[in-house]
Amino acid sequence: MLCQECQQNEATIHIVKNINGKQTELHLCEKCAIKKEELDFSFEPQFSLHQFFAGILEQGLQNSRHEQDVANLQCPSCGLTFAQFSQVGRLGCSECYKAFEKRMKPLLRRIHAGTAHTGKVPLHVQSRVKQRRELAQLKDKLKLKVENEEFEEAAVLRDQIRDLETRMQEGQKDLLDKGEEN
Amino acid sequence: MKQGALNFSRWMAGTGPDNDIVISSRVRLARNIEGQPFPCLAADETTADVLKQVGDMVSGRNGFIDFSFQPMEEMSALGKQALVEKHLISPLLARGVKNGAVLLSRDEAVSIMINEEDHLRIQIILPGLQTEEALEEANRCDDQMENILRYAFDERYGYLTACPTNLGTGLRASVMLHLPALIMTGQINRFLGVLSQVGLAVRGLYGEGSEIVGNLVQISNQVTLGQNENEIIGNLNSVMRQVIEQEQEARQALLDKKRAELADRAWRSLGLLKYAQVMSSQEAIQLISDLRLGFDLGLIKTVDHKLLNELLVLIQPGCLQLLAGKELGTAERNLERPVQIKKALHRFQMKE
């Protein structure tokens, strides 16, 4: 196939654009492609993740029945409002995640693979998180045993869960005591 | 940086697995300090405090031996620009956010940005396809920092970040690839759509919003929550394997059909790099790509990956002006560029 522009060189660059369902094809040699600056394969010249993200958020705002209430949602810790967040796409502090949680969840679902962290845990919370994950596993097992009417095993699990819960409560208390000392 | 000398970053060595296609692998972790507002909303005293904590940590060593701590306010504009061009700091940090700084390892494989979008951005760049190794190194730095600092973390949401797109692991892994054959044959378009479906993003040489030049493409993960670090890296790597294979096939097909033309192009590129008198960065970057392809196909042997990476960096405006030792306008840079390219080629020949 010859280049559509110069009709001399072989077309080595094939561009198919689909804009609002209207498809256009371009077959160019490299030289003409450079001239036409069609070599830019990025999605958009100035694509910004933040803007894109803020766009989604604003849409969410418009669709909301309690538009004004949502916009006025404010983080008690840093004072950022949800409306401000929608515009810049960035949060003010770690408390914002709690303050905007209801609005944030659908969004997280859309941009991530889930809404629960399954990765690395900082050293200072490792034991706590490990205990929680263990507790959840034990409870799952207990449910299964009860369903299968294996009550003896269930009783063992129940004791293990109680043990773990007591240990966790003590740990929590230790942490609080330490906090007060500081 | 002194006049006439360019610090080599570790990735520029051009070694590592799949170095005929993969230029470098980068991993970064976004972290914030517990109880402090994120930098964009924080008062100057807060960011100053974060800066001081990290500064104290470094001066107390704490495993950060052979690191230099450079506050942005103390750096020249050119020095900052050169770090951006070597991918060691972000344009945002270089633009001069309040109390910004970088903690840089001597071999420039580790760069930790302070008070960028998040309080800390731990970044590792290694040559070739070494995402797993980079993650390991990042985790080591992360653990060291944690000895001193306490991170903002939520059990459900993971590491809390200023932008929800980084929430969870705070991990962004990206691979810089040289894909001349896929781009020349137009096959790259097929990939772009598929990549976004598997949670990956494609960008040009300089990240978000930058266009693809010199056949250099950056591919990175988008998802940071709901997958753990190993899953994220594993996913990226398996897709990279596909892209690398496809590029290899496309190169072989080109080589079978257009061997003479490709060799001609590579040698002409070398000729222009050696003898041209005026050169834009756009032209230089394309010539370097053609030369790299010729070298990787075994059609030209008088260069190597380290030299090609050095050229790729030194033709950039900031590095060029640093090498020249003075500020230059666009037209002056187009005159200086061939001078510095010739010098680098000459140095390389002397060593051979």
Side-chain angles (χ1 to χ4, degrees):
Chain A
M1 188 186 290
L2 283 179
C3 170
Q4 285 177 351
E5 280 293 302
C6 62
Q7 300 288 344
Q8 284 177 353
N9 305 325
E10 193 177 339
T12 53
I13 290 164
H14 310 278
I15 297 163
V16 181
K17 275 189 187 170
N18 193 323
I19 299 166
N20 296 328
K22 198 175 157 239
Q23 189 158 314
T24 50
E25 288 187 25
L26 256 181
H27 306 280
L28 304 170
C29 68
E30 206 176 338
K31 221 171 168 182
C32 293
I34 289 170
K35 265 194 222 144
K36 278 187 84 82
E37 288 184 304
E38 292 283 4
L39 260 179
D40 179 4
F41 288 108
S42 54
F43 311 102
E44 245 187 283
Q46 283 304 312
F47 178 81
S48 149
L49 203 59
H50 288 299
Q51 277 167 18
F52 169 74
F53 189 60
I56 299 181
L57 279 165
E58 266 187 49
Q59 256 182 7
L61 263 186
Q62 280 159 11
N63 295 341
S64 163
R65 269 179 296 165
H66 315 287
E67 214 171 294
Q68 211 45 48
D69 294 351
V70 173
N72 289 340
L73 264 181
Q74 193 173 24
C75 172
S77 182
C78 69
L80 188 82
T81 66
F82 192 77
Q84 286 171 324
F85 167 57
S86 305
Q87 270 159 23
V88 292
R90 280 179 210 166
L91 294 161
C93 71
S94 41
E95 292 302 309
C96 289
Y97 282 99
K98 247 180 237 144
F100 305 145
E101 183 158 26
K102 248 178 132 177
R103 292 282 128 197
M104 194 73 91
K105 268 223 163 145
L107 212 97
L108 293 175
R109 222 168 275 138
R110 214 173 316 178
I111 52 177
H112 290 301
T115 57
H117 177 61
T118 55
K120 190 174 178 178
V121 173
L123 299 167
H124 75 272
V125 289
Q126 242 168 39
S127 58
R128 191 156 44 106
V129 174
K130 227 171 134 189
Q131 283 176 330
R132 289 239 176 116
R133 286 182 183 169
E134 195 186 338
L135 188 66
Q137 276 173 1
L138 286 174
K139 282 186 174 167
D140 281 349
K141 272 191 205 158
L142 176 65
K143 211 174 137 208
L144 212 71
K145 295 289 175 198
V146 172
E147 273 168 15
N148 295 338
E149 299 184 5
E150 297 168 61
F151 296 116
E152 269 175 45
E153 283 105 328
V156 176
L157 283 169
R158 187 201 55 210
D159 291 345
Q160 283 179 353
I161 288 170
R162 268 193 202 149
D163 261 10
L164 186 57
E165 277 175 341
T166 326
R167 260 186 292 146
M168 283 168 72
Q169 267 167 13
E170 277 165 6
Q172 201 72 20
K173 227 180 105 217
D174 280 354
L175 223 72
L176 284 174
D177 289 348
K178 268 187 206 153
E180 272 162 24
E181 275 165 35
N182 292 336
Chain B
M1 233 184 286
K2 303 183 297 286
Q3 180 190 339
L6 191 67
N7 285 346
F8 265 79
S9 300
R10 176 124 136 241
W11 69 265
M12 288 165 67
T15 52
D18 298 293
N19 64 344
D20 56 335
I21 292 173
V22 181
I23 310 248
S24 61
S25 303
R26 186 184 74 118
V27 159
R28 79 110 164 91
L29 300 174
R31 298 287 187 256
N32 285 287
I33 292 166
E34 193 174 61
Q36 309 270 31
F38 301 142
C40 63
L41 218 70
D44 290 352
E45 299 88 71
T46 307
T47 50
D49 184 51
V50 173
L51 187 68
K52 189 175 174 302
Q53 281 189 56
V54 178
D56 289 350
M57 176 183 74
V58 182
S59 49
R61 288 288 169 79
N62 296 303
F64 288 94
I65 301 158
D66 267 352
F67 274 71
S68 70
F69 183 65
Q70 302 172 28
M72 286 299 116
E73 275 144 46
E74 293 171 18
M75 284 188 80
S76 70
L78 282 181
K80 286 189 271 191
Q81 199 181 340
L83 290 185
V84 173
E85 289 165 358
K86 288 193 280 180
H87 305 279
L88 299 174
I89 64 171
S90 67
L92 175 69
L93 192 76
R95 269 201 299 276
V97 286
K98 196 82 186 152
N99 294 315
V102 64
L103 185 56
L104 197 60
S105 70
R106 187 194 286 252
D107 66 356
E108 298 189 350
V110 185
S111 62
I112 299 171
M113 287 188 273
I114 297 131
N115 288 325
E116 205 244 21
E117 185 181 295
D118 296 296
H119 292 137
L120 296 172
R121 289 272 174 110
I122 301 167
Q123 184 182 260
I124 315 291
I125 313 184
L126 298 176
L129 186 62
Q130 297 198 71
T131 43
E132 282 166 21
E133 291 79 356
L135 176 65
E136 251 174 61
E137 182 68 38
N139 274 331
R140 242 195 315 275
C141 287
D142 188 37
D143 295 344
Q144 268 169 20
M145 306 282 286
E146 230 206 297
N147 285 332
I148 314 290
L149 308 166
R150 188 167 268 218
Y151 289 144
F153 180 85
D154 180 273
E155 269 181 46
R156 291 158 308 159
Y157 294 139
Y159 292 93
L160 302 171
T161 54
C163 185
T165 52
N166 295 316
L167 184 67
T169 55
L171 168 69
R172 186 87 64 225
S174 62
V175 177
M176 179 78 71
L177 302 127
H178 183 231
L179 302 176
L182 287 179
I183 289 174
M184 260 188 254
T185 56
Q187 294 178 63
I188 188 80
N189 293 321
R190 273 201 338 231
F191 281 103
L192 298 186
V194 180
L195 288 174
S196 68
Q197 281 169 18
V198 293
L200 301 177
V202 187
R203 301 186 176 110
L205 179 58
Y206 283 102
E208 213 169 283
S210 71
E211 58 178 322
I212 294 176
V213 289
N215 299 318
L216 295 169
V217 175
Q218 233 187 109
I219 300 179
S220 57
N221 67 301
Q222 289 279 59
V223 168
T224 57
L225 182 67
Q227 288 181 338
N228 70 31
E229 290 80 359
N230 294 329
E231 287 167 338
I232 290 170
I233 299 273
N235 177 28
L236 179 67
N237 280 357
S238 66
V239 175
M240 286 309 98
R241 282 260 67 87
Q242 293 295 316
V243 177
I244 289 167
E245 264 173 43
Q246 296 289 325
E247 170 68 19
Q248 275 164 344
E249 272 176 36
R251 283 186 187 183
Q252 193 54 50
L254 274 178
L255 195 58
D256 291 344
K257 262 197 275 179
K258 309 234 173 214
R259 190 186 185 90
E261 286 87 343
L262 286 170
D264 179 64
R265 203 196 267 201
W267 282 102
R268 276 172 191 271
S269 299
L270 183 59
L272 281 171
L273 288 167
K274 256 186 192 161
Y275 298 113
Q277 299 293 309
V278 184
M279 193 176 282
S280 68
S281 61
Q282 194 84 13
E283 182 187 4
I285 215 165
Q286 187 57 46
L287 293 173
I288 294 166
S289 169
D290 291 340
L291 186 55
R292 190 187 287 271
L293 180 62
F295 174 71
D296 287 328
L297 291 176
L299 300 170
I300 192 164
K301 293 202 167 65
T302 52
V303 293
D304 70 7
H305 283 130
K306 192 178 172 200
L307 172 68
L308 290 164
N309 289 343
E310 183 187 1
L311 292 177
L312 194 61
V313 168
L314 75 77
I315 60 161
Q316 309 290 336
C319 289
L320 200 60
Q321 293 173 76
L322 265 189
L323 286 171
K326 59 184 174 206
E327 286 190 24
L328 303 167
T330 310
E332 292 167 312
R333 287 203 299 273
N334 290 347
L335 289 172
E336 181 67 22
R337 192 166 288 114
V339 175
Q340 295 298 339
I341 291 173
K342 266 184 238 36
K343 276 190 187 167
L345 289 171
H346 184 70
R347 278 196 301 270
F348 179 75
Q349 266 172 353
M350 288 294 101
K351 262 189 286 172
E352 285 294 285

